[in-house]
């Protein structure tokens, strides 16, 4: 794989990294490699251990985050691989109101006696610091999903390093364009690559990034032996998608800032949650869950669907999702702002609230 000759800015990195060698007559993109095995003679023998299509995406993401990346079959596969680092019976510090897939796995593991969990408000740096001593792993989201709370990652990492705890940061919402947790002291960065990195709501993938060779080896082993490997077509689509990350995310963030400034004055909206950056907004609607469902079902442009980070604007009432933590208010609507014309998004929001009688 080729990489830029010198340190590149992120908008260049996403385009230039993970390309084939620039040789006359060669293609300029890595094609999907469909094979289950390889001819003996290199480190690769069986395709569960590696695929050049994965490597292209891993090269781009690793360069963006400043570490070595590993691609997994889903965000939850990546999360599960990270959790294999936790010794049996050890303690995990985690957000009170984490992404519901992770929240569910942590709670089920605690019930089964696999580990103990200390739940904290990650926006309270003192509470996070107080929870870390004695823990084996600190799991952070910043901003959190869907309450959009922001953690002091550097402060948490400083305490965790003193206590020899591994720090995992879910960077899905901020992306490495806005935040590079490894530079702030985190040990592992997690992405649901389904979201902004791929960006087109057409693949499910996950990724982990680390600078620590020991952790990388353990996470690679978890992927290989656990079989949580990505398909070559999904990896190829993700690489194609990440090429436009900088322009997509810039537009989505710009749209989100405009919408967040307006939403607080809109009748029917009782609270706006927006951290001041990124393309995610959560709003709490006046009324009850049924009326919030009616609002979400009303638009003609906005997609009432689960997931985020695509080019299209999506929203959903999060408590309608099974296993959503009770910390999420019943009428909270999470909005993933897309790249459409912001005035069309705004018109759809206003029309939906009016049509639902909010």
């Amino acid at each position: 794989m080729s990489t830029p000759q010198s340190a590149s800015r992120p908008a260049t990195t996403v385009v230039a990294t993970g390309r084939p060698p620039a040789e006359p007559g060669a293609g300029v993109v890595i094609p999907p490699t469909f094979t289950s095995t390889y001819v003996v003679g290199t480190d690769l023998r069986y395709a569960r251990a590696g695929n050049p299509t994965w490597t292209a995406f891993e090269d781009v993401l690793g360069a963006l985050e400043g570490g070595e990346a590993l691609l997994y079959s889903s965000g939850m596969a990546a999360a599960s691989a990270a959790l294999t680092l936790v010794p049996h019976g050890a303690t995990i510090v985690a957000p009170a109101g984490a992404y519901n897939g992770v929240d569910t796995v942590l709670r089920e593991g605690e019930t089964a006696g696999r580990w103990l969990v200390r739940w904290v408000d990650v926006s309270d740096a003192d509470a996070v610091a107080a929870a870390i001593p004695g823990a084996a792993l600190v799991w952070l989201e910043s901003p959190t999903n869907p309450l959009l709370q922001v953690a002091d990652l550097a402060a948490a990492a400083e305490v965790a390093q003193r206590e020899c705890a591994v720090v995992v940061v879910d960077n899905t919402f901020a992306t490495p364009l806005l935040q590079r947790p490894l530079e702030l002291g985190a040990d592992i960065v997690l992405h649901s690559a389904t979201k902004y990195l791929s960006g087109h709501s057409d693949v499910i993938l996950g990724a982990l990034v680390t600078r620590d060779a020991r952790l990388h080896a353990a996470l690679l082993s978890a992927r290989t032996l656990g079989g949580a490997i990505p398909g070559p077509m999904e990896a190829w689509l993700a690489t194609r998608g990440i090429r436009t990350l900088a322009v997509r995310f810039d537009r989505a963030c710009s749209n989100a800032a405009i919408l967040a400034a307006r939403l607080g004055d809109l009748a029917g909206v009782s609270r706006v949650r927006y951290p001041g950056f990124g393309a995610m907004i959560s709003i709490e609607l006046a009324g009850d869950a049924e009326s919030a469902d009616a609002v979400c079902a009303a638009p003609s442009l906005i997609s009432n669907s689960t997931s985020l980070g695509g080019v299209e604007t999506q929203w959903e009432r999060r408590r309608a999702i099974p296993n959503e933590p009770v910390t999420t208010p019943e009428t909270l609507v999470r909005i993933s702002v897309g790249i459409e014309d912001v005035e069309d998004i705004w018109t759809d929001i206003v029309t939906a609230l009016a049509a639902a009688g909010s």
Side-chain angles (χ1 to χ4, degrees), residues 63-74:
L64 285 173
E65 287 285 10
E68 287 192 80
L70 289 165
L71 192 59
Y72 293 80
S73 55
S74 69

Side-chain angles (χ1 to χ4, degrees), residues 55-125:
T55 305
F57 183 88
E58 291 169 344
D59 285 349
V60 179
L61 181 57
L64 285 173
E65 287 285 10
E68 287 192 80
L70 289 165
L71 192 59
Y72 293 80
S73 55
S74 69
M76 283 307 302
S80 297
L83 289 171
T84 64
L85 301 173
V86 181
H88 188 87
T91 296
I92 299 171
V93 175
Y99 163 64
N100 71 355
V102 170
D103 184 271
T104 300
V105 168
L106 291 178
R107 292 184 186 278
E108 289 182 350
E110 186 171 40
T111 299
R114 172 71 178 81
W115 46 56
L116 300 173
V117 182
R118 296 174 185 162
W119 305 97
V120 295
D121 175 353
V122 298
S123 66
D124 185 338

Side-chain angles (χ1 to χ4, degrees), residues 134-268:
L137 185 141
V138 180
W139 191 285
L140 297 171
E141 295 175 8
S142 186
T144 59
N145 181 4
L147 299 182
L148 300 180
Q149 296 170 310
V150 176
D152 187 333
L153 299 180
E158 183 179 3
V159 177
Q161 288 170 357
R162 292 200 303 266
E163 298 293 330
C164 298
V166 173
V167 177
V168 178
V169 175
D170 186 334
N171 202 29
T172 299
F173 278 15
T175 85
L177 300 184
L178 297 183
Q179 171 175 279
R180 287 163 53 103
L182 296 180
E183 293 181 348
L184 300 174
D187 299 291
I188 299 169
V189 176
L190 176 133
H191 284 276
S192 173
T194 305
K195 312 304 194 297
Y196 290 109
L197 301 185
S198 297
H200 292 79
S201 302
D202 54 9
V203 298
I204 293 181
L205 288 170
L208 298 173
V209 190
T210 184
R211 293 176 173 175
D212 187 303
R214 179 185 60 84
L215 291 176
H216 185 274
L219 297 170
L220 174 60
S221 177
R223 180 180 74 177
T224 303
L225 297 179
I229 61 172
M233 194 63 193
E234 287 80 3
W236 182 83
L237 284 169
T239 304
R240 185 174 70 166
I242 204 171
R243 300 298 185 200
T244 60
L245 172 63
V247 291
R248 287 187 286 103
F249 198 54
D250 182 69
R251 175 62 173 263
C253 291
S254 174
N255 283 350
I258 293 169
L259 294 174
R262 297 179 182 180
L263 280 164
D265 297 326
L266 193 58

Side-chain angles (χ1 to χ4, degrees), residues 280-293:
M280 297 299 300
I281 305 171
S282 288
I283 57 175
E284 294 174 37
L285 300 180
D288 56 16
E290 184 177 359
S291 63
D293 285 335

